[in-house]
Amino acid sequence: MIGVRKIVATGALALAFGLGSMAAGASEFINVLTGGTSGVYYPLGAALAKIYGEKIEGARTQVQATKASVENLNLLQQGKGEIAFALGDSVQAAWAGNEEAGFKKKLDKLRAIAAIYPNYIQIVASKDSGITDLASLKGKRVSVGAPKSGTELNARAILEAAGMSYKDLAKVEYLDFGESVELIKNRQLDATLQSAGLGVASIKDLATSLPVTVVAVPAAIPEKMGAPFLAATIPAGTYEGQTADVPTVAITNILVTRSDVSDEEAYQMTKQLFENLDTLKAAHKAASAIKPENGPKGLPIPLHPGAEKYYKEKGLL
């Protein structure tokens, strides 16, 4: 298990899907950059790689597990991926070249394929910890996501909006979703903050293993955070033992490509995404929120011309 975690943490784990010979050219290769294997990006990315391999003629595809948003965007800029999942605020920071967020310079090659489903910032604590709200995180042991991942950037933003910082916590761990859950099960952590689609496997696992509290984030917090953050609700029953709706913060996920991906490849990646939504929904229910009409909306970077062509064909631009 430790070996697998190391591979995931370095972003080296990759599974090959699709058709085409090993000698296929760069234009026929699509590397899908995702996140940790216990999150939502990975199963959706695996499904997307399969779709592209089967539906895009001559394509050879691969799905790569990474530390998610920030690493994905940097890899795209370096030409080491063709399409990536990323959080909207990370994309915004990458376009601005926000060094604090993990971007040493403006990532000017980034282009959007589509706004997809919202991520929900989900703060979950063991019942034994006594954590009931944001304020009671003070003095507790909390995992805030992999260092400078989209989740970790969300953690900084939400604590700041609540008038808190990491200094208020007894211990801060920078761990992926699966590792965070394991430490809570072992009573080595009190809570985890995970930015993901609803029903993320890691929190489901935790909630079936021990009694948990899904921590409410009042609407005043996303209002203070501002765009691209929004008030949202984790519906009752999303996780075992969660008997009531829980208010929280949401942020749109974006599928991002690079400017030097050909117009035809970007067009096909956009088209096959929306024409095979049933396959994505079967991979994870978060995909139920993906809709073509939302694809070109609220993007902090320019659309790729290939994606733009698809939206214009459908009358969505």
Side-chain angles (χ1 to χ4, degrees):
M1 187 65 185
I2 292 169
V4 171
R5 283 182 189 154
K6 265 185 195 168
I7 290 168
V8 171
T10 57
L13 179 63
L15 299 174
F17 291 89
L19 308 173
S21 71
M22 293 302 287
S27 63
E28 298 169 315
F29 184 74
I30 302 172
N31 187 26
V32 184
L33 303 169
T34 60
T37 53
S38 57
V40 177
Y41 286 176
Y42 189 84
L44 288 182
L48 202 57
K50 188 173 187 293
I51 290 165
Y52 290 165
E54 292 174 351
K55 304 289 185 180
I56 301 177
E57 189 176 351
R60 183 167 59 89
T61 63
Q62 174 178 286
V63 56
Q64 182 175 338
T66 67
K67 294 175 189 173
S69 300
V70 176
E71 182 180 12
N72 289 351
L73 297 169
N74 281 312
L75 286 171
L76 277 181
Q77 180 75 15
Q78 296 160 22
K80 295 178 180 176
E82 281 63 49
I83 190 166
F85 290 77
L87 278 166
D89 60 331
S90 297
V91 177
Q92 188 178 57
W95 191 247
N98 184 332
E99 194 162 352
E100 257 185 51
F103 306 104
K104 293 180 180 177
K105 61 177 184 177
K106 175 185 170 76
L107 304 193
D108 58 356
K109 292 183 180 177
L110 302 182
R111 297 293 183 272
I113 290 290
I116 44 175
Y117 66 93
N119 253 28
Y120 292 75
I121 297 176
Q122 300 167 76
I123 305 172
V124 181
S126 65
K127 283 269 191 208
D128 288 349
S129 70
I131 296 168
T132 55
D133 54 20
L134 280 177
S136 55
L137 288 174
K138 290 181 180 178
K140 301 296 184 180
R141 303 165 298 172
V142 183
S143 176
V144 294
K148 292 194 173 174
S149 62
T151 288
E152 202 252 316
L153 296 180
N154 288 173
R156 289 175 186 270
I158 205 166
L159 288 175
E160 184 181 345
M164 296 164 62
S165 74
Y166 290 166
K167 290 178 182 176
D168 293 304
L169 307 177
K171 185 178 185 182
V172 179
E173 291 282 7
Y174 300 88
L175 301 171
D176 70 21
F177 294 176
E179 290 174 310
S180 303
V181 163
E182 288 306 311
L183 288 190
I184 293 175
K185 286 183 189 176
N186 295 333
R187 306 298 194 270
Q188 293 172 273
L189 272 182
D190 299 307
T192 175
L193 182 148
Q194 303 193 1
S195 186
L198 291 177
V200 63
S202 52
I203 298 178
K204 277 191 165 183
D205 174 31
L206 179 62
T208 55
S209 302
L210 50 81
V212 299
T213 299
V214 182
V215 179
V217 181
I221 298 293
E223 282 174 20
K224 189 172 180 182
M225 293 166 81
F229 298 98
L230 301 163
T233 301
I234 302 170
T238 299
Y239 299 107
E240 192 161 318
Q242 184 201 341
T243 57
D245 290 352
V246 176
T248 191
V249 182
I251 180 170
T252 299
N253 285 291
I254 300 172
L255 279 174
V256 185
T257 187
R258 6 177 264 270
S259 55
D260 52 341
V261 164
S262 73
D263 288 2
E264 179 59 23
E265 190 168 340
Y267 170 79
Q268 287 296 336
M269 288 195 297
T270 312
K271 176 183 169 75
Q272 300 308 330
L273 161 71
F274 290 117
E275 291 190 355
N276 293 279
L277 286 177
D278 285 348
T279 301
L280 291 173
K281 289 172 189 173
H284 199 285
K285 70 176 186 179
S288 300
I290 303 176
K291 301 181 189 307
E293 58 269 27
N294 294 334
K297 291 180 182 175
L299 300 168
I301 56 172
L303 271 171
H304 192 290
E308 190 175 337
K309 176 187 172 186
Y310 173 81
Y311 294 122
K312 284 181 175 175
E313 275 183 6
K314 296 296 178 183
L316 299 172
L317 275 180

